[in-house]
Amino acid sequence: MNDDRATTRKTLLWRLRRLLTGPLVLLAALLIAFEEFAWDELSDLLARLGRWPVLRQLEAAVARATPPVALSLFLLPVLGLLPVKLAAVLLISRGHAVLGLLVILLAKLLGTAVAARLFSLTRNQLMRVQWFARAYQLFMRFKNYIHDRLVASPAWQAAHRLLDAVRARLRRSSVWSRLGRRMSRQWQHLRK
């Protein structure tokens, strides 16, 4: 009797794990994809803002920082935005879900932008902090694992096939665009 229960329990746990793994991997992949896209784009945006004379001097000082100072600066956006995110959760709990989610989204964008720029300015110093370098390598392995799992998933491949079909369809001209070009050519011919 106990063996049957243990087997049933293992089977249920295996099924639950299998059921939850896909959505959790997808969620992690979406977060990583957002971070990757936002990281590069927002870092470039702040780099352009960094051309302003005052910000250029500030960025130069940050780039010269020692490893402990660089680490403190890199962690600053996370800690600085924590009260904002808590206020957003408070807004959500009081019935202002849309406003709370917008605050969280803006805080995430701002935090990612600042962290990305600080990381690009202080990467060499941060990699001299042993625990940070190990954590970074661990994160990169996890990110690559999630990316590989995502790319191998049937949902990802189906989405790419769909996107490829949409792109191909958009490249082909429609009946209306061909008709518009034909009418335009005729109109130009009549005007000559």
Side-chain angles (χ1 to χ4, degrees):
M1 187 75 166
N2 285 338
D3 288 338
D4 290 340
R5 283 186 181 175
T7 304
T8 304
R9 185 175 179 194
K10 285 181 183 178
T11 303
L12 285 174
L13 287 174
W14 179 81
R15 285 183 181 170
L16 182 63
R17 180 176 172 232
R18 185 149 171 119
L19 180 69
L20 293 177
T21 299
L24 289 177
V25 167
L26 182 60
L27 179 63
L30 289 173
L31 288 172
I32 288 172
F34 168 76
E35 285 286 332
E36 192 72 26
F37 171 76
W39 193 269
D40 294 337
E41 296 299 318
L42 294 173
S43 179
D44 290 345
L45 175 66
L46 285 185
R48 280 183 253 140
L49 290 176
R51 293 182 190 139
W52 295 352
V54 173
L55 292 178
R56 190 176 326 133
Q57 292 171 354
L58 181 63
E59 283 189 351
V62 167
R64 289 189 307 269
T66 63
V69 172
L71 183 61
S72 300
L73 289 171
F74 182 68
L75 295 176
L76 195 62
V78 174
L79 298 175
L81 290 174
L82 186 62
V84 175
K85 291 178 181 179
L86 290 174
V89 170
L90 181 66
L91 283 170
I92 292 170
S93 72
R94 294 198 174 161
H96 304 287
V98 174
L99 182 60
L101 289 173
L102 283 174
V103 169
I104 288 174
L105 180 64
L106 289 174
K108 182 68 176 158
L109 285 172
L110 180 64
T112 300
V114 172
R117 188 64 188 147
L118 287 172
F119 184 77
S120 67
L121 292 171
T122 62
R123 181 183 177 138
N124 293 335
Q125 296 93 315
L126 290 171
M127 292 304 153
R128 287 190 223 142
V129 179
Q130 288 182 359
W131 70 264
F132 185 88
R134 282 193 304 269
Y136 178 74
Q137 292 303 319
L138 184 66
F139 171 76
M140 292 307 290
R141 275 186 269 158
F142 174 71
K143 182 180 129 183
N144 291 334
Y145 167 77
I146 293 294
H147 182 266
D148 292 345
R149 292 270 319 257
L150 180 67
V151 168
S153 74
W156 179 270
Q157 292 170 2
H160 266 276
R161 283 192 300 272
L162 179 64
L163 283 174
D164 289 343
V166 168
R167 285 182 189 128
R169 179 74 179 129
L170 289 175
R171 274 188 238 121
R172 287 186 296 174
S173 57
S174 69
V175 171
W176 298 109
S177 64
R178 289 192 303 265
L179 180 63
R181 282 195 303 270
R182 187 179 308 139
M183 290 175 66
S184 175
R185 283 193 302 268
Q186 288 175 351
W187 178 257
Q188 290 174 359
H189 180 69
L190 290 174
R191 289 179 56 197
K192 291 181 182 177

